[in-house]
Amino acid sequence: MLFRLLRLILILALVISAPPSFEAMAQALGQGSAGLITDQQKVIQGLTAKTDDLEKKIQQDGEDDASLVDIRLQLEDLSRAALTSALAFRSRLTDINNRIEVLGPPPAAGQPQEPDIVTGERQALASEKAEINAVVAAAQNLSIRINGLIDKIGNMRSALFRNLLTKRYVLSDALSPQVFSDAQEEYANFYKAVSSWLSFAFKFKFQAILAATFVALGLALVLLVGGRRLFGRVFEADPSNEDPSYLSRLSVAFWSTLLPTLAVGSFLGSTIFFFNYYNVLRGDIGLFLNALATAIGVIFCVNRLTNAALEPRLPNWRLIPVETGPARWLVRLSTAMAVVISVNTFLSVVNDKMGSPLSLTIARSFVATIVVGIILILMAMLRPFKARDGSWRPWPAWLRYLALALGLFTIIAALLGYIGLALFVSLQVVVTGTALITAYIGFLSARAIGEEGAFANTSVGRWLSTNSSYEDTALDQLGLVVSIAINLLIVLVFLPLILLMWGFQPGDIQAWAYKLATGINIGSVTISVTGILSGIIVFIIGYFLTRWFQGWLDGSVMARGKVDTGVRNSIRLAVGYAGVALAGLVGISAAGIDLSSLALVAGALSLGIGFGLQNVVSNFVSGLILLAERPFKVGDWIVAGDVSGTVKKISVRATEIETFQRQSVILPNSNLINNAVGNWTHRNKLGRLDIKVGVAYGSDVKQVHAILLEIARGHPMVLKNPEPFVLFSNFGPAALEFEIRVFLADVMNGNIVQNDVRFAVLEKFSDQHIEIPSTPRAVIETKHAKAWPTDDDKIEADFAEQEQAKADAAAEAKRAAKPRKSRKPDPD
């Protein structure tokens, strides 16, 4: 109650203080919203009218699969437009809901009345919200209706495809003599149409025809010649190479098929494009020319593929180890099959456009499928391999039976009247089989290039090795990248072709590509390939920008400023870690991943990270402390426990120390933070050396002191200030002990100074006959073991003789020790 009273007082204060501006603001917002509502209502009305027209068109073109696909694409555009119209009110609805929440609910009965202006604003907001909700509901209903039409189109297309494969035709009419007269009439009409167009084109469009043809031919030549220059040896087989590698054969077969086919396809496609651009083609002639170009492309591709894989002229370059005679027959039969299917496809377009009788269409398809079936059976019956004894061997059983099954199935289906099914199988055998074989050869070539050391043996790899500084490891990694690129190229080129051959329309591929690019919904998760690629590209750009900035900052800024090496290393590492982290965050955001959704995952993993990775986290934090406090830097001489050496690298997890034996020791940063670490070169390289010297008792200690002090002062590396000092340190058990204490500007030269001083001490003491005592060594006598006897029989006999003598002696002593019995005297 108190809260409501305070809110009422606040509203009254605002109204009293600025009523004109408040009313003006509410009026302006209402007018802006009204205009938005009016505009979106007009948009939805237009979308509804277009939807009605497309629904009528669905009923009219329900038998044309391509037309249905085009209608579906238009409906999908309308659906997206309707959703966009509904989303246009999102920000306004948010403002209205926030404003209503601020105003609060109307006062209940018995409570003080609110001002009229507040009541009026609440009613205006509620009315505006109702109007917006009505427009949004209309847009949503329209989107639902459009989705229903899209589902209907999908069902209609499925029914058309099933009808195409399962429809049975009566062959009696198709095989009647009337078919021949219909064919002659059809040919006459086709010839008349083409001749009339040719006369028109050469009379009025001759220059345009020449220009279009030459431009298309130039594009094809550029592609062909450029491909030859770029790929060189992998374009054509080298007859002089008697033993080409498997990778070379794969590459030649793949590229010698793909590049000429692309060149021919670009010539045909660009010719038709420029003919349309210059208005050379009529509607019917355009269809005929498109069908003819497709037929020529298929025949050329099949012929190139079979020649590249079988190489009838060069047995050493064959991918399949068949004999020369069967290889020629396989090329001829494959090309004949492609010719039959292509001619049939071209004639089907002509029949559809010319309105040919159904009997003629059935007869044409029947003959084509029978011929294809016979060719498949002939291929299966070939014996392409020769055994060692000279006998001919057939194909492997699975391949032979598969070809026989396809050939018999096509013939039987055609004889039973299922012309559509037989024609579909024939078309897939030729076109899809060609595409799959070419793609398979490409995959094998990519896998061979990606193997270790294979890319360096190619012509491109040898050229890079000669003309660049790439090492074998870099070339091997580059070969892996090339392998991945070839695989992607094959998928992007051949997957759409195969889908088109299986009855899908270009509109289907376009719709799938759009969904794949904009996002695929899996539950509540949206996966966008475009977003993921964008995120990866953004991260890579950020990563390389960070590395470039690190190098520029270190080499151009800090190096010119004579910044200490340790400081430069710390700043460079900090900039690197910050830049990579920033690039990762920007890349994740560019990929469309909501970072707030990772909060739950991070919270769930925090406990496990705390226990399982506590050492890693401890080392990471210790590394940050080392980089910030800098108790030592790169190049310092430190002593950490038993490890003594020069600091080479400080990272966030561990520090690399190189000992004076050139051993690299990796110490975790937590050890360097928690334990004592000695740094000889912390602030400067000034340091003191202590060299111990012992002399014999009885020596003149004053003379020894003077000699040692003279030696210390005479060394060039010893500082004069602080001056050297000689300490008489102790009366030792075997010597009088002295210490030479000298200071060096660079303590890293300590070993050199110690070495020089000790040599000088020995030389001076020898000249002055001063003795350096040494601890006497204990003399250890070495006991030599008795030699192992060499005559075992003699030793055994001597041992038996000694034992026998001992036994006799013991028996004799026993008898001697035995008391004698005394004889009793005779009785008197």
Side-chain angles (χ1 to χ4, degrees):
M1 184 68 181
L2 180 61
F3 177 73
R4 291 187 177 182
L5 183 59
L6 292 175
R7 185 174 60 187
L8 180 60
I9 294 172
L10 179 61
I11 293 173
L12 289 174
L14 292 174
V15 171
I16 293 172
S17 62
S21 60
F22 185 85
E23 292 175 357
M25 181 178 65
Q27 184 178 4
L29 290 174
Q31 291 177 355
S33 178
L36 180 61
I37 291 173
T38 302
D39 293 340
Q40 296 303 321
Q41 283 178 343
K42 292 181 180 178
V43 170
I44 294 174
Q45 290 175 359
L47 295 177
T48 304
K50 292 180 180 179
T51 304
D52 295 337
D53 295 337
L54 291 177
E55 187 174 8
K56 295 178 181 178
K57 195 173 181 181
I58 291 174
Q59 303 300 329
Q60 297 174 358
D61 301 335
E63 299 296 327
D64 188 358
D65 186 69
S67 178
L68 290 177
V69 173
D70 183 63
I71 295 172
R72 191 194 69 180
L73 291 177
Q74 297 181 43
L75 288 174
E76 289 178 350
D77 292 337
L78 294 179
S79 177
R80 287 190 289 269
L83 292 178
T84 303
S85 179
L87 293 175
F89 296 99
R90 176 182 291 178
S91 60
R92 181 56 186 160
L93 283 175
T94 303
D95 295 339
I96 291 174
N97 292 328
N98 293 335
R99 187 62 185 164
I100 292 175
E101 184 178 357
V102 171
L103 294 176
Q111 293 182 349
Q113 295 293 327
E114 61 184 1
D116 294 338
I117 190 171
V118 176
T119 303
E121 183 183 1
R122 181 184 290 106
Q123 292 176 355
L125 291 174
S127 175
E128 182 182 353
K129 184 176 180 180
E131 292 180 0
I132 291 176
N133 288 334
V135 177
V136 171
Q140 291 177 347
N141 292 332
L142 179 61
S143 178
I144 294 172
R145 178 189 173 192
I146 292 173
N147 290 331
L149 292 176
I150 292 174
D151 294 337
K152 180 180 179 181
I153 289 176
N155 295 330
M156 294 175 65
R157 293 186 63 203
S158 300
L160 287 175
F161 186 71
R162 289 193 301 269
N163 184 50
L164 174 65
L165 297 183
T166 59
K167 186 175 182 180
R168 186 176 182 182
Y169 297 92
V170 179
L171 298 180
S172 57
D173 297 335
L175 301 179
S176 62
Q178 182 65 28
V179 174
F180 295 99
S181 60
D182 293 337
Q184 292 177 355
E185 183 180 357
E186 186 74 15
Y187 173 77
N189 294 333
F190 176 72
Y191 179 79
K192 182 179 179 180
V194 173
S195 60
S196 64
W197 171 77
L198 287 175
S199 61
F200 163 79
F202 280 101
K203 184 179 294 185
F204 300 101
K205 298 289 184 178
F206 183 72
Q207 294 181 352
I209 291 175
L210 286 180
T213 304
F214 279 113
V215 171
L217 185 60
L219 292 176
L221 289 176
V222 167
L223 181 60
L224 192 62
V225 175
R228 288 178 180 271
R229 291 292 183 89
L230 181 62
F231 294 97
R233 298 180 181 178
V234 301
F235 192 88
E236 289 183 353
D238 185 8
S240 62
N241 191 352
E242 297 181 357
D243 189 17
S245 63
Y246 182 63
L247 175 59
S248 300
R249 287 182 287 161
L250 284 172
S251 300
V252 168
F254 178 68
W255 293 110
S256 64
T257 300
L258 183 62
L259 290 178
T261 303
L262 289 178
V264 172
S266 64
F267 169 72
L268 296 173
S270 55
T271 300
I272 295 174
F273 171 78
F274 287 116
F275 278 5
N276 287 320
Y277 181 78
Y278 290 115
N279 295 321
V280 176
L281 299 177
R282 291 192 322 229
D284 55 346
I285 301 300
L287 291 176
F288 298 158
L289 196 57
N290 283 325
L292 181 62
T294 303
I296 294 174
V298 171
I299 295 171
F300 182 82
C301 180
V302 171
N303 183 262
R304 285 299 309 166
L305 176 62
T306 52
N307 275 287
L310 297 174
E311 280 293 349
R313 298 172 300 170
L314 301 173
N316 295 331
W317 286 88
R318 288 176 193 158
L319 289 178
I320 305 174
V322 299
E323 297 297 325
T324 303
R328 291 195 180 96
W329 275 107
L330 286 172
V331 172
R332 294 166 185 167
L333 292 175
S334 301
T335 306
M337 191 186 306
V339 169
V340 171
I341 291 297
S342 300
V343 170
N344 179 72
T345 304
F346 172 74
L347 292 179
S348 66
V349 175
V350 174
N351 293 150
D352 292 339
K353 189 62 180 177
M354 303 294 294
S356 303
L358 180 61
S359 58
L360 183 61
T361 302
I362 296 174
R364 169 185 50 78
S365 301
F366 176 78
V367 173
T369 53
I370 293 296
V371 172
V372 171
I374 294 173
I375 293 175
L376 285 173
I377 294 175
L378 291 176
M379 286 183 174
M381 300 303 294
L382 275 177
R383 295 179 176 269
F385 306 106
K386 183 177 287 187
R388 295 182 179 179
D389 57 357
S391 61
W392 293 93
R393 293 189 296 108
W395 295 105
W398 66 271
L399 183 59
R400 183 170 70 257
Y401 292 144
L402 177 62
L404 282 173
L406 289 174
L408 292 175
F409 179 82
T410 303
I411 295 174
I412 294 172
L415 292 175
L416 293 177
Y418 295 99
I419 304 298
L421 178 60
L423 191 61
F424 179 79
V425 172
S426 303
L427 183 64
Q428 302 316 315
V429 167
V430 176
V431 182
T432 306
T434 302
L436 288 177
I437 292 173
T438 307
Y440 181 67
I441 293 175
F443 285 132
L444 290 178
S445 178
R447 186 175 67 180
I449 291 175
E451 292 181 354
E452 185 175 358
F455 184 74
N457 296 325
T458 61
S459 57
V460 178
R462 287 191 292 268
W463 183 86
L464 289 175
S465 179
T466 305
N467 298 279
S468 66
S469 58
Y470 286 116
E471 298 180 353
D472 293 340
T473 303
L475 288 176
D476 189 59
Q477 294 175 351
L478 184 60
L480 185 61
V481 173
V482 172
S483 174
I484 295 173
I486 293 175
N487 286 326
L488 291 176
L489 175 65
I490 293 169
V491 172
L492 293 177
V493 170
F494 289 96
L495 183 59
L497 291 177
I498 294 174
L499 292 177
L500 291 175
M501 292 304 103
W502 280 83
F504 295 97
Q505 298 294 332
D508 296 322
I509 301 175
Q510 178 183 349
W512 293 340
Y514 180 82
K515 290 181 179 179
L516 192 63
T518 56
I520 301 174
N521 295 324
I522 302 176
S524 60
V525 179
T526 301
I527 300 175
S528 174
V529 176
T530 304
I532 293 174
L533 292 177
S534 301
I536 293 174
I537 293 173
V538 168
F539 174 76
I540 292 174
I541 294 174
Y543 176 82
F544 282 106
L545 285 177
T546 300
R547 295 305 182 208
W548 171 83
F549 183 74
Q550 276 183 292
W552 174 81
L553 183 65
D554 184 41
S556 299
V557 178
M558 293 189 290
R560 292 183 181 180
K562 306 300 181 182
V563 180
D564 183 74
T565 305
V567 177
R568 289 169 56 184
N569 178 71
S570 300
I571 294 176
R572 184 173 64 251
L573 287 176
V575 170
Y577 289 128
V580 172
L582 181 62
L585 293 175
V586 175
I588 291 174
S589 300
I593 300 174
D594 188 7
L595 294 178
S596 61
S597 62
L598 301 178
L600 295 176
V601 179
L605 293 178
S606 60
L607 184 61
I609 292 174
F611 286 101
L613 300 179
Q614 55 183 347
N615 291 332
V616 176
V617 175
S618 175
N619 291 326
F620 179 78
V621 175
S622 300
L624 297 179
I625 294 173
L626 290 177
L627 292 174
E629 292 186 355
R630 298 180 58 249
F632 52 82
K633 57 187 180 297
V634 174
D636 283 357
W637 174 16
I638 67 171
V639 179
D642 298 333
V643 180
S644 175
T646 305
V647 178
K648 287 298 182 182
K649 183 180 179 182
I650 303 174
S651 62
V652 292
R653 191 198 68 82
T655 298
E656 180 183 349
I657 300 174
E658 185 180 280
T659 65
F660 297 106
Q661 291 79 24
R662 300 298 180 183
Q663 180 190 24
S664 294
V665 180
I666 309 300
L667 286 180
N669 289 330
S670 59
N671 293 353
L672 301 175
I673 290 293
N674 299 327
N675 301 323
V677 178
N679 191 346
W680 283 92
T681 56
H682 181 44
R683 292 181 176 86
N684 52 56
K685 294 185 178 182
L686 178 67
R688 193 187 80 179
L689 289 181
D690 297 340
I691 305 172
K692 295 182 179 181
V693 180
V695 297
Y697 277 91
S699 301
D700 187 353
V701 293
K702 295 289 186 178
Q703 183 184 11
V704 171
H705 182 273
I707 292 173
L708 295 179
L709 190 59
E710 179 186 358
I711 292 173
R713 289 174 177 174
H715 199 283
M717 291 186 182
V718 175
L719 296 178
K720 302 296 188 263
N721 186 21
E723 65 177 352
F725 178 74
V726 176
L727 176 67
F728 187 4
S729 61
N730 190 23
F731 295 96
L736 301 173
E737 298 176 357
F738 290 81
E739 283 187 9
I740 304 174
R741 297 179 179 179
V742 295
F743 289 88
L744 305 179
D746 188 354
V747 75
M748 302 296 289
N749 297 323
N751 289 332
I752 299 174
V753 175
Q754 292 184 59
N755 196 47
D756 295 342
V757 168
R758 289 190 176 105
F759 274 113
V761 167
L762 286 175
E763 185 179 355
K764 288 290 186 180
F765 281 9
S766 176
D767 293 340
Q768 300 297 326
H769 303 288
I770 297 174
E771 182 183 356
I772 299 177
S774 60
T775 304
R777 297 180 180 177
V779 180
I780 301 175
E781 294 183 358
T782 304
K783 294 182 179 181
H784 297 282
K786 295 181 179 180
W788 188 260
T790 56
D791 192 351
D792 293 341
D793 295 337
K794 184 176 182 302
I795 295 299
E796 185 177 356
D798 292 341
F799 179 76
E801 185 178 353
Q802 292 176 3
E803 291 295 324
Q804 184 64 35
K806 290 179 180 180
D808 294 343
E812 185 65 25
K814 186 177 181 181
R815 285 196 300 269
K818 186 176 181 181
R820 296 184 178 180
K821 294 182 179 180
S822 57
R823 296 181 61 184
K824 294 180 178 181
D826 294 337
D828 290 338

